[in-house]
Amino acid sequence: MLANAVDEGGRGGAIRLGLVVVVGALVAVVPPACGDPVTRGASSEVDFADGSPLPFGLKQVAGTLPIGRPAVFDEVPLAYNGNPITTRSLRAAYQVVGDDPVAVFRAWARQLKVLHVGSVHMRGGDGAGDRQPWLQLNGGGFSGSGPPIGDWVDLQLWTTDGAPVLLVTVQRYSDDGPATNVDDQLAAPRRPNAVVGNSERSSGDVLFVEQGQEIRVPAGSRPLMGTVPIFGGTGGSYSVLSSDDGRAAVKALVDDAVAGNANGQVTGPTSSTLEGLRVTHASFVIGAGGWSFDAVAVQADGDPWATVYVTSGAD
């Protein structure tokens, strides 16, 4: 699960209902996770390392290269007592080029002190298999049974058949909240075998699959990395694309999903401008027992193409 404001420990009596999390009077739609990646020289085509400041006081860590432009956007991931709650969100992916990927991950974790997350635990993969991240850290967002406060964060480091990939997601619910305390007691986290490939894909190729339904790369787009098998219920993926037309790409992804299953609920595409970034956002959700995905495209003046982030998950 990639951008959800509830941790898997189920704080506050949280219960998972399909792709929905309920905490007291709070209902959160679980954002999807995506795909199969790693970078095909996105940063060699366009250098987003300069001129792409991150929000919330965060900074790009040494030893990383952005895979496309980081996405900063507003979304409504949940409601409390029937009232929609808007967050300022960050979604970013980095190729880890430093000699010590674990040290790079820890550097990211250390700078979370500028956020309001509360206590979070750094951990390695959850099991013996390889379909899991090398390192991960997530949590924050909820305050007992009340409305969410502070920040929710998710960091994941994945091995690939090339350089490792670091995925960063932050959602800000309020400017205040508990201070961040990162518990890091890992000595030598096991490096899983790579499950993320770098085979070239283009328009019409499969981007991700959930519950047997294939979603394909839109026309005018190409993956900048393989699809990462992020855990999101029984499925889950995370992908980053470049696209000649970000809005058209987001709409094509939704249309592809609807063509395969007309029972899905579609939100968007909606377009807006945020601090010079043109943003298009849409989601597709099949309720209890189904699957969902979320897509956001961002492009600034001077960018030769839009960066599109796609995350999926299944119940």
Side-chain angles (χ1 to χ4, degrees):
M1 170 181 66
L2 203 53
N4 183 24
V6 132
D7 72 17
E8 292 298 330
R11 276 192 293 161
I15 3 175
R16 296 176 66 95
L17 300 177
L19 294 176
V20 172
V21 174
V22 179
V23 182
L26 181 112
V27 179
V29 177
V30 176
C34 249
D36 107 271
V38 146
T39 118
R40 246 175 297 288
S43 298
S44 65
E45 296 178 19
V46 180
D47 185 4
F48 288 110
D50 297 326
S52 299
L54 300 177
F56 317 133
L58 296 169
K59 300 181 183 299
Q60 182 180 330
V61 167
T64 62
L65 292 174
I67 301 173
R69 176 174 292 281
V72 181
F73 61 104
D74 292 333
E75 60 178 333
V76 182
L78 48 82
Y80 181 77
N81 285 344
N83 299 313
I85 294 180
T86 301
T87 67
R88 176 66 51 87
S89 298
L90 165 68
R91 208 169 291 176
Y94 295 91
Q95 181 181 19
V96 179
V97 295
D99 293 336
D100 187 346
V102 172
V104 169
F105 186 91
R106 284 183 160 131
W108 257 101
R110 283 195 300 272
Q111 72 164 329
L112 297 181
K113 64 185 180 183
V114 303
L115 304 179
H116 300 283
V117 177
S119 294
V120 286
H121 302 276
M122 190 182 303
R123 60 192 190 276
D126 291 330
D130 290 322
R131 190 180 170 87
Q132 58 187 315
W134 185 354
L135 284 171
Q136 56 189 325
L137 180 158
N138 58 37
F142 279 109
S143 171
S145 59
I149 62 172
D151 303 300
W152 189 88
V153 64
D154 182 272
L155 302 181
Q156 297 193 21
L157 177 68
W158 285 79
T159 57
T160 77
D161 61 10
V165 166
L166 174 66
L167 307 178
V168 178
T169 299
V170 179
Q171 291 178 324
R172 169 147 292 181
Y173 294 95
S174 67
D175 291 330
D176 56 359
T180 300
N181 176 39
V182 177
D183 179 12
D184 176 11
Q185 300 183 26
L186 292 174
R190 182 184 71 88
R191 178 173 184 157
N193 294 322
V195 294
V196 177
N198 286 310
S199 58
E200 190 74 29
R201 290 175 296 167
S202 57
S203 300
D205 290 335
V206 174
L207 181 63
F208 69 90
V209 180
E210 292 290 358
Q211 296 186 348
Q213 184 169 340
E214 296 179 344
I215 301 298
R216 297 184 176 273
V217 178
S221 304
R222 76 176 183 91
L224 294 176
M225 58 185 235
T227 297
V228 176
I230 298 279
F231 179 75
T234 59
S237 71
Y238 186 110
S239 301
V240 184
L241 313 173
S242 66
S243 180
D244 297 337
D245 185 330
R247 181 179 176 83
V250 169
K251 185 176 186 305
L253 288 164
V254 170
D255 290 346
D256 194 5
V258 171
N261 194 322
N263 295 321
Q265 178 182 350
V266 175
T267 301
T270 59
S271 296
S272 60
T273 301
L274 178 63
E275 298 179 359
L277 270 186
R278 296 186 296 279
V279 180
T280 299
H281 191 205
S283 63
F284 173 89
V285 178
I286 300 174
W291 63 278
S292 67
F293 81 88
D294 174 271
V296 59
V298 293
Q299 187 170 13
D301 290 341
D303 291 355
W305 36 260
T307 304
V308 184
Y309 294 83
V310 188
T311 59
S312 72
D315 194 6

